[in-house]
Amino acid sequence: MADYFTHFSCLLDVGTPQNAARALDLYNALMAENALEDPPSDGFVLSIEPEHGGSQLWMRDDVTGDPQSMITFVLHCAEVFDLQGRWGFQWAGTCSRPRVNAFSGGAHVLDLATRQTIAWIGTHGWLADHLAEGDA
């Protein structure tokens, strides 16, 4: 049997170490809410690491993660801390065994000021669409 994973690792600058500390509380509340879902999402891991600076949140998967829960968290931080500019991340979809069509990836870009998606791509759908164009 194969296991499927979603991997990502990125930083979000929330401006100050005080905001970063508050963001940890926001994260804990989100994860507590997530735990009530049936089934709960895979979530993500968040920490503040000295090598990234005191205002940077390091967000990543543990074994596998949920990019959508991270996007929800980032948009909430953008609102609470009045973040501006663009922010984005990449993810990889992997599989523990070689399987046809089991690998993918993607990227997502947000406008933090408007709290809107600017662009995103998922390679699995992209590949299928472009292969299907050859059949037309």
Side-chain angles (χ1 to χ4, degrees), residues 16-71:
T16 67
Q18 293 78 15
N19 286 352
R22 283 185 55 207
L24 286 174
D25 292 334
L26 297 174
Y27 167 79
N28 288 329
L30 176 68
M31 291 300 108
E33 185 178 306
N34 176 51
L36 299 176
E37 293 178 11
D38 186 25
S41 81
D42 292 318
F44 62 98
V45 177
L46 181 140
S47 63
I48 302 167
E49 301 295 328
E51 65 264 25
H52 299 302
S55 67
Q56 298 267 357
L57 305 176
W58 181 28
M59 298 172 292
R60 62 211 180 269
D61 65 279
D62 186 13
V63 174
T64 188
D66 179 11
Q68 186 56 56
S69 68
M70 186 175 65
I71 290 169

Side-chain angles (χ1 to χ4, degrees), residues 69-123:
S69 68
M70 186 175 65
I71 290 169
T72 299
F73 173 76
V74 167
L75 291 174
H76 189 62
C77 284
E79 184 175 335
V80 169
F81 304 121
D82 193 30
L83 302 179
Q84 304 292 310
R86 290 182 174 194
W87 175 86
F89 72 103
Q90 299 176 80
W91 71 87
T94 65
C95 184
S96 62
R97 296 174 177 257
R99 296 285 190 259
V100 174
N101 294 323
F103 299 89
S104 64
H108 201 110
V109 179
L110 298 172
D111 180 328
L112 296 175
T114 65
R115 320 299 188 258
Q116 299 292 314
T117 294
I118 294 172
W120 70 272
I121 185 170
T123 60

